[in-house]
């Protein structure tokens, strides 16, 4: 004979179901994924550029309205600390795209259509780099006097998606390149190509994917069998005979009855 406490089994079922529901809720409430592209640019027109700064451009749609991408351009100091002043950022934008400044160096001119050609100053151009672009963005003005020395800029581009930039070329012009504590008489024209695949991130939990719900398995070795409760709802489990045990008891009782009848017949 075997039994399981009915109430204990019910509690286990409730706990398991609740755990599954909580895990499912966590899975459904996981932060939305964000997409990102990172482009690294380096000098393409000078020689002996091991000390020159490079440029990192990050494009992301995290928190943006649909059809909007945020672009952040950062000057990365060279191996010996050389820096540079951002003068121009160049991209290939589809027709109808618009640019909105966010932070960092001020956008002083945008060249993106025929009517805009020539608006960007010569020191912000990429002549001789061998690359061509549909749009150019001028940052600040020539020279670094008066604090016009910018090493980062962030702006938003509307009317695009990240897939518009995969495998595309980007360009950045830097002026006043050199040691921040010395002469900064150099300039740099940099190019870089975006990856061909957008990187999917999850900023809400460090990039990890939500975990699958876990369902608790029954404890190994727990007895199984029918369960009944005593009348009155006392809650104490009562052992219920297995079907084979009931059959054995019936056969034994029948045998006793038959033996008693034989004895009575013999005495008579």
């Amino acid at each position: 004979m075997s039994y399981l406490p009915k109430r204990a089994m019910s509690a286990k079922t409730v706990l398991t179901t609740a755990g599954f529901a909580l895990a499912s809720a966590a899975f459904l409430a996981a932060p939305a994924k964000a997409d990102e592209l990172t482009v690294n640019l380096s000098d393409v027109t000078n020689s002996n550029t091991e000390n020159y700064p490079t440029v990192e451009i990050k494009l992301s749609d995290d928190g943006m309205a649909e059809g909007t991408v945020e672009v952040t351009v950062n000057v990365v100091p060279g191996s010996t600390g050389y820096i540079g002043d951002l003068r121009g950022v160049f991209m290939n934008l589809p027709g109808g795209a618009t640019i909105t400044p966010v932070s960092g160096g001020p956008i002083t001119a945008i060249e993106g259509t025929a009517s805009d050609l020539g608006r960007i100053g010569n020191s912000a151009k990429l002549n001789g780099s061998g690359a061509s672009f549909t749009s150019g963005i001028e940052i600040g003005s020539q020279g670094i006097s008066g604090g016009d020395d910018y090493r980062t800029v962030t702006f938003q581009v509307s009317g695009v998606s990240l897939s518009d930039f995969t495998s595309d070329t980007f360009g950045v012009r830097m002026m006043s390149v050199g040691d921040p504590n010395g002469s900064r008489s150099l300039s740099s024209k940099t190019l870089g190509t975006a990856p061909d695949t957008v990187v999917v991130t999850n900023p809400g939990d460090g990039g990890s994917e939500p975990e699958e719900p876990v369902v608790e398995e029954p404890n190994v070795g727990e007895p199984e069998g029918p369960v009944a409760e005593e009348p009155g709802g006392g809650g104490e489990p009562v052992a219920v005979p297995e079907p084979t045990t009931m059959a054995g008891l019936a056969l034994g009782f029948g045998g006793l009855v038959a033996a008693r009848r034989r004895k009575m017949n013999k005495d008579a």
Side-chain angles (χ1 to χ4, degrees):
M1 292 185 293
S2 61
Y3 64 84
L4 275 178
K6 185 174 183 180
R7 291 188 176 179
M9 182 174 66
S10 299
K12 180 181 179 68
T13 304
V14 170
L15 289 173
T16 301
T17 304
F20 181 82
L22 288 173
S24 300
F27 181 83
L28 294 174
K33 294 178 180 177
D35 295 339
E36 183 178 279
L37 279 175
T38 300
V39 190
N40 296 303
L41 294 73
S42 57
D43 189 279
V44 293
T45 58
N46 292 300
S47 58
N48 302 320
T49 59
E50 60 274 6
N51 295 332
Y52 278 47
T54 56
V55 178
E56 179 187 73
I57 299 179
K58 284 193 173 183
L59 303 95
S60 174
D61 63 6
D62 181 25
M64 298 292 102
E66 185 176 356
T68 300
V69 172
E70 187 165 87
V71 181
T72 298
V73 183
N74 288 312
V75 174
V76 181
S79 58
T80 59
Y82 277 26
I83 58 174
D85 173 33
L86 287 173
R87 287 290 293 122
V89 179
F90 298 85
M91 313 166 67
N92 290 304
L93 299 179
T98 58
I99 296 171
T100 303
V102 174
S103 63
I107 294 178
T108 50
I110 298 175
E111 187 175 276
T113 65
S115 60
D116 292 329
L117 294 177
R119 291 187 63 189
I120 293 179
N122 288 331
S123 64
K125 294 186 180 297
L126 285 179
N127 298 339
S129 67
S132 60
F133 301 91
T134 62
S135 299
I137 305 166
E138 184 176 24
I139 311 299
S141 57
Q142 185 170 345
I144 57 176
S145 61
D148 190 273
D149 188 6
Y150 302 106
R151 289 187 286 281
T152 185
V153 62
T154 298
F155 53 88
Q156 294 176 2
V157 182
S158 301
V160 297
S161 67
L162 279 180
S163 61
D164 291 324
F165 300 106
T166 55
S167 303
D168 209 353
T169 301
F170 291 76
V172 168
R173 176 70 186 271
M174 288 183 287
M175 296 292 291
S176 302
V177 173
D179 188 330
N181 298 315
S183 173
R184 292 177 59 182
S185 58
L186 304 173
S187 68
S188 178
K189 299 174 182 179
T190 65
L191 296 178
T193 302
D196 57 6
T197 303
V198 174
V199 176
V200 178
T201 64
N202 195 333
D205 60 358
S208 60
E209 295 293 335
E211 296 182 358
E212 294 290 341
V214 178
V215 180
E216 182 183 354
E217 296 292 337
N219 291 334
V220 177
E222 285 189 347
E224 296 181 359
V227 178
E229 291 188 2
E230 290 183 353
E236 293 297 325
V238 177
V240 179
E242 301 286 351
T244 53
T245 304
M246 294 291 291
L249 290 173
L251 288 174
F253 180 74
L256 288 174
V257 172
R260 184 175 180 81
R261 285 179 178 176
R262 286 196 299 272
K263 186 175 185 304
M264 291 176 63
N265 292 333
K266 183 177 179 180
D267 293 340

